[in-house]
Amino acid sequence: MTHNKLIFKTLISFCLIAFLSNNLYAQSEKNWYLSGGLSIGHMLNMTYGSNTGTATFLGVFGDLEIKRIIGRAQLTYVFPTSFDGSTNFESGTGFHGSLGYNLRVTDKVDLPLFLTGGASLIQYRNGIFGSQGDLFTDVSPQIGITLSPYYRLTNNISV
C-alpha cells in the first residue's frame, strides 16, 4: 500500500470515527464516550539491530471510556522512506492496546493513565545493497505505562 493511500484511508477512518463518536455521544447521556485520534510525528531515535536513525510515523487510535475507565487501541505506521539509518528497512508497524483510568483535572483538561501492551513489527531485507535479499520480520513485544493528557477545545474536539 502506498503512503498516500494509507494516509487517505486513515483520514477517512478518522472522519468516520468522529462522526460516529458525535452521534454516540448524544445518545450516551454522558455515561460513556467514544473518540478517535490521529497523530503524525517524527522519532528522533529509532533503532533495530545495529541500525539507528530518525523516522516519520503516522498513528491512529480509538478510545472507549465508561465511567472513567478508559481503553485504547492504537496502530502506528513508520514511513520506510523516512528512516535514514538503513537502506534495507522495508516497514515498521506497532499494534498497542491500553487500559486505564481517566483523571479529570479541570472541566477542560483530562489526564488518562494507561497500562499498555502490544507489539511492533519491523520488516527488513538482509541484502548487502539494501533492496536485495530475503525479507525478514522481527516482532518485539512491548509493555509500559502511557500518560496521555488532552485539552478539550469543544465537546467534540480535543488537543
Side-chain angles (χ1 to χ4, degrees):
M1 183 182 321
T2 66
H3 299 126
N4 292 336
K5 286 183 182 177
L6 177 68
I7 291 172
F8 179 74
K9 287 181 180 182
T10 301
L11 291 175
I12 293 298
S13 299
F14 177 69
C15 291
L16 181 61
I17 289 170
F19 174 75
L20 291 173
S21 175
N22 190 33
N23 288 341
L24 291 171
Y25 174 79
Q27 298 170 8
S28 73
E29 298 178 12
K30 299 183 182 180
N31 287 329
W32 60 281
Y33 304 91
L34 179 66
S35 61
L38 178 69
S39 62
I40 297 175
H42 190 71
M43 291 179 273
L44 298 177
N45 184 12
M46 180 176 147
T47 303
Y48 77 95
S50 62
N51 298 298
T52 301
T54 64
T56 302
F57 68 90
L58 174 69
V60 179
F61 66 90
D63 290 348
L64 175 61
E65 180 182 343
I66 301 172
K67 297 183 180 179
R68 300 198 196 253
I69 302 298
I70 187 167
R72 175 177 288 175
Q74 183 166 344
L75 169 69
T76 306
Y77 175 76
V78 177
F79 294 107
T81 55
S82 71
F83 183 53
D84 61 5
S86 172
T87 58
N88 62 353
F89 180 75
E90 292 288 322
S91 71
T93 308
F95 305 93
H96 296 89
S98 304
L99 185 62
Y101 188 78
N102 191 4
L103 300 168
R104 296 271 195 293
V105 178
T106 68
D107 62 334
K108 295 277 189 183
V109 177
D110 285 11
L111 185 62
L113 178 63
F114 296 102
L115 292 176
T116 301
S120 63
L121 289 84
I122 294 177
Q123 290 188 319
Y124 61 94
R125 297 202 178 268
N126 69 347
I128 295 172
F129 299 108
S131 62
Q132 299 174 357
D134 293 330
L135 184 65
F136 288 92
T137 302
D138 286 344
V139 179
S140 170
Q142 300 172 343
I143 59 170
I145 296 173
T146 303
L147 186 60
S148 182
Y150 61 90
Y151 179 79
R152 195 173 1 277
L153 297 172
T154 70
N155 282 338
N156 297 322
I157 299 173
S158 297
V159 178

PDB file of all heavy atoms in Angstrom, residues 63-84:
ATOM      1  N   ASP A  63     -10.530   5.473  21.439  1.00  0.00           N
ATOM      2  CA  ASP A  63     -10.731   5.339  22.878  1.00  0.00           C
ATOM      3  C   ASP A  63     -12.199   5.035  23.163  1.00  0.00           C
ATOM      4  O   ASP A  63     -13.087   5.570  22.497  1.00  0.00           O
ATOM      5  CB  ASP A  63     -10.397   6.639  23.622  1.00  0.00           C
ATOM      6  CG  ASP A  63      -8.921   6.967  23.651  1.00  0.00           C
ATOM      7  OD1 ASP A  63      -8.113   6.099  23.304  1.00  0.00           O
ATOM      8  OD2 ASP A  63      -8.591   8.104  24.030  1.00  0.00           O
ATOM      9  N   LEU A  64     -12.424   4.205  24.170  1.00  0.00           N
ATOM     10  CA  LEU A  64     -13.763   3.981  24.697  1.00  0.00           C
ATOM     11  C   LEU A  64     -13.665   4.179  26.200  1.00  0.00           C
ATOM     12  O   LEU A  64     -12.876   3.515  26.875  1.00  0.00           O
ATOM     13  CB  LEU A  64     -14.262   2.572  24.379  1.00  0.00           C
ATOM     14  CG  LEU A  64     -15.612   2.192  25.003  1.00  0.00           C
ATOM     15  CD1 LEU A  64     -16.723   3.118  24.508  1.00  0.00           C
ATOM     16  CD2 LEU A  64     -15.937   0.742  24.691  1.00  0.00           C
ATOM     17  N   GLU A  65     -14.463   5.129  26.714  1.00  0.00           N
ATOM     18  CA  GLU A  65     -14.463   5.422  28.146  1.00  0.00           C
ATOM     19  C   GLU A  65     -15.841   5.141  28.724  1.00  0.00           C
ATOM     20  O   GLU A  65     -16.848   5.607  28.195  1.00  0.00           O
ATOM     21  CB  GLU A  65     -14.091   6.885  28.389  1.00  0.00           C
ATOM     22  CG  GLU A  65     -14.070   7.264  29.847  1.00  0.00           C
ATOM     23  CD  GLU A  65     -13.740   8.734  30.072  1.00  0.00           C
ATOM     24  OE1 GLU A  65     -13.217   9.392  29.166  1.00  0.00           O
ATOM     25  OE2 GLU A  65     -14.013   9.216  31.185  1.00  0.00           O
ATOM     26  N   ILE A  66     -15.871   4.347  29.789  1.00  0.00           N
ATOM     27  CA  ILE A  66     -17.110   4.056  30.500  1.00  0.00           C
ATOM     28  C   ILE A  66     -16.865   4.351  31.980  1.00  0.00           C
ATOM     29  O   ILE A  66     -16.052   3.686  32.620  1.00  0.00           O
ATOM     30  CB  ILE A  66     -17.537   2.585  30.315  1.00  0.00           C
ATOM     31  CG1 ILE A  66     -17.726   2.273  28.831  1.00  0.00           C
ATOM     32  CG2 ILE A  66     -18.811   2.300  31.105  1.00  0.00           C
ATOM     33  CD1 ILE A  66     -17.958   0.812  28.528  1.00  0.00           C
ATOM     34  N   LYS A  67     -17.562   5.365  32.492  1.00  0.00           N
ATOM     35  CA  LYS A  67     -17.427   5.768  33.892  1.00  0.00           C
ATOM     36  C   LYS A  67     -15.967   5.907  34.325  1.00  0.00           C
ATOM     37  O   LYS A  67     -15.531   5.330  35.305  1.00  0.00           O
ATOM     38  CB  LYS A  67     -18.168   4.790  34.795  1.00  0.00           C
ATOM     39  CG  LYS A  67     -19.656   4.781  34.528  1.00  0.00           C
ATOM     40  CD  LYS A  67     -20.384   3.870  35.467  1.00  0.00           C
ATOM     41  CE  LYS A  67     -21.860   3.903  35.136  1.00  0.00           C
ATOM     42  NZ  LYS A  67     -22.638   3.024  35.987  1.00  0.00           N
ATOM     43  N   ARG A  68     -15.198   6.644  33.540  1.00  0.00           N
ATOM     44  CA  ARG A  68     -13.781   6.977  33.786  1.00  0.00           C
ATOM     45  C   ARG A  68     -12.803   5.833  33.558  1.00  0.00           C
ATOM     46  O   ARG A  68     -11.601   6.034  33.607  1.00  0.00           O
ATOM     47  CB  ARG A  68     -13.571   7.601  35.150  1.00  0.00           C
ATOM     48  CG  ARG A  68     -14.340   8.892  35.324  1.00  0.00           C
ATOM     49  CD  ARG A  68     -13.781   9.680  36.454  1.00  0.00           C
ATOM     50  NE  ARG A  68     -14.727  10.698  36.847  1.00  0.00           N
ATOM     51  CZ  ARG A  68     -14.569  11.985  36.594  1.00  0.00           C
ATOM     52  NH1 ARG A  68     -13.509  12.392  35.984  1.00  0.00           N
ATOM     53  NH2 ARG A  68     -15.473  12.843  36.983  1.00  0.00           N
ATOM     54  N   ILE A  69     -13.278   4.613  33.353  1.00  0.00           N
ATOM     55  CA  ILE A  69     -12.389   3.527  32.934  1.00  0.00           C
ATOM     56  C   ILE A  69     -12.250   3.667  31.425  1.00  0.00           C
ATOM     57  O   ILE A  69     -13.246   3.765  30.704  1.00  0.00           O
ATOM     58  CB  ILE A  69     -12.975   2.142  33.294  1.00  0.00           C
ATOM     59  CG1 ILE A  69     -13.225   2.032  34.793  1.00  0.00           C
ATOM     60  CG2 ILE A  69     -12.057   1.034  32.795  1.00  0.00           C
ATOM     61  CD1 ILE A  69     -11.975   2.164  35.654  1.00  0.00           C
ATOM     62  N   ILE A  70     -11.014   3.710  30.937  1.00  0.00           N
ATOM     63  CA  ILE A  70     -10.782   4.013  29.529  1.00  0.00           C
ATOM     64  C   ILE A  70      -9.902   2.946  28.887  1.00  0.00           C
ATOM     65  O   ILE A  70      -8.952   2.455  29.499  1.00  0.00           O
ATOM     66  CB  ILE A  70     -10.171   5.438  29.378  1.00  0.00           C
ATOM     67  CG1 ILE A  70     -10.084   5.858  27.916  1.00  0.00           C
ATOM     68  CG2 ILE A  70      -8.845   5.553  30.087  1.00  0.00           C
ATOM     69  CD1 ILE A  70      -9.794   7.343  27.729  1.00  0.00           C
ATOM     70  N   GLY A  71     -10.268   2.571  27.682  1.00  0.00           N
ATOM     71  CA  GLY A  71      -9.484   1.631  26.892  1.00  0.00           C
ATOM     72  C   GLY A  71      -9.092   2.279  25.584  1.00  0.00           C
ATOM     73  O   GLY A  71      -9.812   3.126  25.052  1.00  0.00           O
ATOM     74  N   ARG A  72      -7.938   1.903  25.064  1.00  0.00           N
ATOM     75  CA  ARG A  72      -7.448   2.484  23.813  1.00  0.00           C
ATOM     76  C   ARG A  72      -6.853   1.392  22.935  1.00  0.00           C
ATOM     77  O   ARG A  72      -6.139   0.521  23.418  1.00  0.00           O
ATOM     78  CB  ARG A  72      -6.381   3.545  24.089  1.00  0.00           C
ATOM     79  CG  ARG A  72      -5.735   4.104  22.824  1.00  0.00           C
ATOM     80  CD  ARG A  72      -4.744   5.195  23.115  1.00  0.00           C
ATOM     81  NE  ARG A  72      -5.473   6.386  23.527  1.00  0.00           N
ATOM     82  CZ  ARG A  72      -4.898   7.499  23.943  1.00  0.00           C
ATOM     83  NH1 ARG A  72      -3.591   7.572  24.044  1.00  0.00           N
ATOM     84  NH2 ARG A  72      -5.635   8.535  24.309  1.00  0.00           N
ATOM     85  N   ALA A  73      -7.140   1.473  21.652  1.00  0.00           N
ATOM     86  CA  ALA A  73      -6.490   0.636  20.644  1.00  0.00           C
ATOM     87  C   ALA A  73      -5.746   1.583  19.705  1.00  0.00           C
ATOM     88  O   ALA A  73      -6.284   2.623  19.311  1.00  0.00           O
ATOM     89  CB  ALA A  73      -7.509  -0.182  19.875  1.00  0.00           C
ATOM     90  N   GLN A  74      -4.498   1.242  19.377  1.00  0.00           N
ATOM     91  CA  GLN A  74      -3.681   2.142  18.568  1.00  0.00           C
ATOM     92  C   GLN A  74      -2.883   1.373  17.532  1.00  0.00           C
ATOM     93  O   GLN A  74      -2.348   0.300  17.810  1.00  0.00           O
ATOM     94  CB  GLN A  74      -2.729   2.931  19.460  1.00  0.00           C
ATOM     95  CG  GLN A  74      -1.899   3.936  18.705  1.00  0.00           C
ATOM     96  CD  GLN A  74      -1.208   4.928  19.624  1.00  0.00           C
ATOM     97  OE1 GLN A  74      -1.558   5.070  20.784  1.00  0.00           O
ATOM     98  NE2 GLN A  74      -0.238   5.628  19.085  1.00  0.00           N
ATOM     99  N   LEU A  75      -2.783   1.942  16.345  1.00  0.00           N
ATOM    100  CA  LEU A  75      -1.968   1.430  15.254  1.00  0.00           C
ATOM    101  C   LEU A  75      -0.993   2.529  14.845  1.00  0.00           C
ATOM    102  O   LEU A  75      -1.409   3.677  14.639  1.00  0.00           O
ATOM    103  CB  LEU A  75      -2.841   1.040  14.063  1.00  0.00           C
ATOM    104  CG  LEU A  75      -2.125   0.723  12.760  1.00  0.00           C
ATOM    105  CD1 LEU A  75      -1.339  -0.580  12.895  1.00  0.00           C
ATOM    106  CD2 LEU A  75      -3.105   0.629  11.620  1.00  0.00           C
ATOM    107  N   THR A  76       0.282   2.204  14.755  1.00  0.00           N
ATOM    108  CA  THR A  76       1.304   3.170  14.355  1.00  0.00           C
ATOM    109  C   THR A  76       2.062   2.605  13.165  1.00  0.00           C
ATOM    110  O   THR A  76       2.471   1.440  13.177  1.00  0.00           O
ATOM    111  CB  THR A  76       2.293   3.443  15.509  1.00  0.00           C
ATOM    112  OG1 THR A  76       1.545   3.837  16.656  1.00  0.00           O
ATOM    113  CG2 THR A  76       3.271   4.537  15.143  1.00  0.00           C
ATOM    114  N   TYR A  77       2.246   3.422  12.136  1.00  0.00           N
ATOM    115  CA  TYR A  77       2.931   3.009  10.916  1.00  0.00           C
ATOM    116  C   TYR A  77       4.132   3.927  10.680  1.00  0.00           C
ATOM    117  O   TYR A  77       3.989   5.151  10.681  1.00  0.00           O
ATOM    118  CB  TYR A  77       1.968   3.079   9.723  1.00  0.00           C
ATOM    119  CG  TYR A  77       2.628   2.789   8.401  1.00  0.00           C
ATOM    120  CD1 TYR A  77       2.946   1.493   8.039  1.00  0.00           C
ATOM    121  CD2 TYR A  77       2.943   3.821   7.523  1.00  0.00           C
ATOM    122  CE1 TYR A  77       3.556   1.217   6.832  1.00  0.00           C
ATOM    123  CE2 TYR A  77       3.551   3.559   6.318  1.00  0.00           C
ATOM    124  CZ  TYR A  77       3.853   2.258   5.976  1.00  0.00           C
ATOM    125  OH  TYR A  77       4.468   1.999   4.773  1.00  0.00           O
ATOM    126  N   VAL A  78       5.304   3.331  10.470  1.00  0.00           N
ATOM    127  CA  VAL A  78       6.514   4.100  10.175  1.00  0.00           C
ATOM    128  C   VAL A  78       6.679   4.169   8.658  1.00  0.00           C
ATOM    129  O   VAL A  78       6.630   3.144   7.976  1.00  0.00           O
ATOM    130  CB  VAL A  78       7.765   3.431  10.804  1.00  0.00           C
ATOM    131  CG1 VAL A  78       9.018   4.201  10.430  1.00  0.00           C
ATOM    132  CG2 VAL A  78       7.613   3.341  12.307  1.00  0.00           C
ATOM    133  N   PHE A  79       6.885   5.364   8.136  1.00  0.00           N
ATOM    134  CA  PHE A  79       7.123   5.518   6.704  1.00  0.00           C
ATOM    135  C   PHE A  79       8.539   5.042   6.389  1.00  0.00           C
ATOM    136  O   PHE A  79       9.513   5.648   6.847  1.00  0.00           O
ATOM    137  CB  PHE A  79       6.951   6.978   6.269  1.00  0.00           C
ATOM    138  CG  PHE A  79       5.543   7.469   6.407  1.00  0.00           C
ATOM    139  CD1 PHE A  79       5.196   8.356   7.407  1.00  0.00           C
ATOM    140  CD2 PHE A  79       4.564   7.032   5.534  1.00  0.00           C
ATOM    141  CE1 PHE A  79       3.892   8.805   7.538  1.00  0.00           C
ATOM    142  CE2 PHE A  79       3.259   7.472   5.655  1.00  0.00           C
ATOM    143  CZ  PHE A  79       2.922   8.370   6.657  1.00  0.00           C
ATOM    144  N   PRO A  80       8.680   3.956   5.616  1.00  0.00           N
ATOM    145  CA  PRO A  80      10.008   3.356   5.393  1.00  0.00           C
ATOM    146  C   PRO A  80      10.999   4.308   4.723  1.00  0.00           C
ATOM    147  O   PRO A  80      12.175   4.300   5.063  1.00  0.00           O
ATOM    148  CB  PRO A  80       9.734   2.160   4.498  1.00  0.00           C
ATOM    149  CG  PRO A  80       8.279   1.979   4.442  1.00  0.00           C
ATOM    150  CD  PRO A  80       7.637   3.208   4.961  1.00  0.00           C
ATOM    151  N   THR A  81      10.531   5.116   3.802  1.00  0.00           N
ATOM    152  CA  THR A  81      11.449   6.013   3.098  1.00  0.00           C
ATOM    153  C   THR A  81      11.962   7.141   3.991  1.00  0.00           C
ATOM    154  O   THR A  81      12.924   7.810   3.644  1.00  0.00           O
ATOM    155  CB  THR A  81      10.772   6.619   1.858  1.00  0.00           C
ATOM    156  OG1 THR A  81       9.560   7.268   2.267  1.00  0.00           O
ATOM    157  CG2 THR A  81      10.445   5.541   0.836  1.00  0.00           C
ATOM    158  N   SER A  82      11.318   7.343   5.152  1.00  0.00           N
ATOM    159  CA  SER A  82      11.763   8.410   6.050  1.00  0.00           C
ATOM    160  C   SER A  82      12.874   7.963   6.991  1.00  0.00           C
ATOM    161  O   SER A  82      13.518   8.788   7.623  1.00  0.00           O
ATOM    162  CB  SER A  82      10.582   8.922   6.874  1.00  0.00           C
ATOM    163  OG  SER A  82      10.194   7.962   7.835  1.00  0.00           O
ATOM    164  N   PHE A  83      13.104   6.641   7.094  1.00  0.00           N
ATOM    165  CA  PHE A  83      14.128   6.135   8.011  1.00  0.00           C
ATOM    166  C   PHE A  83      15.499   6.321   7.386  1.00  0.00           C
ATOM    167  O   PHE A  83      15.822   5.711   6.375  1.00  0.00           O
ATOM    168  CB  PHE A  83      13.871   4.662   8.341  1.00  0.00           C
ATOM    169  CG  PHE A  83      14.845   4.087   9.336  1.00  0.00           C
ATOM    170  CD1 PHE A  83      15.074   4.701  10.559  1.00  0.00           C
ATOM    171  CD2 PHE A  83      15.533   2.933   9.050  1.00  0.00           C
ATOM    172  CE1 PHE A  83      15.960   4.176  11.472  1.00  0.00           C
ATOM    173  CE2 PHE A  83      16.425   2.389   9.960  1.00  0.00           C
ATOM    174  CZ  PHE A  83      16.642   3.010  11.171  1.00  0.00           C
ATOM    175  N   ASP A  84      16.327   7.153   7.998  1.00  0.00           N
ATOM    176  CA  ASP A  84      17.625   7.491   7.418  1.00  0.00           C
ATOM    177  C   ASP A  84      18.764   6.611   7.922  1.00  0.00           C
ATOM    178  O   ASP A  84      19.910   6.824   7.581  1.00  0.00           O
ATOM    179  CB  ASP A  84      17.958   8.959   7.663  1.00  0.00           C
ATOM    180  CG  ASP A  84      18.059   9.310   9.148  1.00  0.00           C
ATOM    181  OD1 ASP A  84      17.958   8.397   9.984  1.00  0.00           O
ATOM    182  OD2 ASP A  84      18.235  10.487   9.443  1.00  0.00           O
TER     183      ASP A  84
END
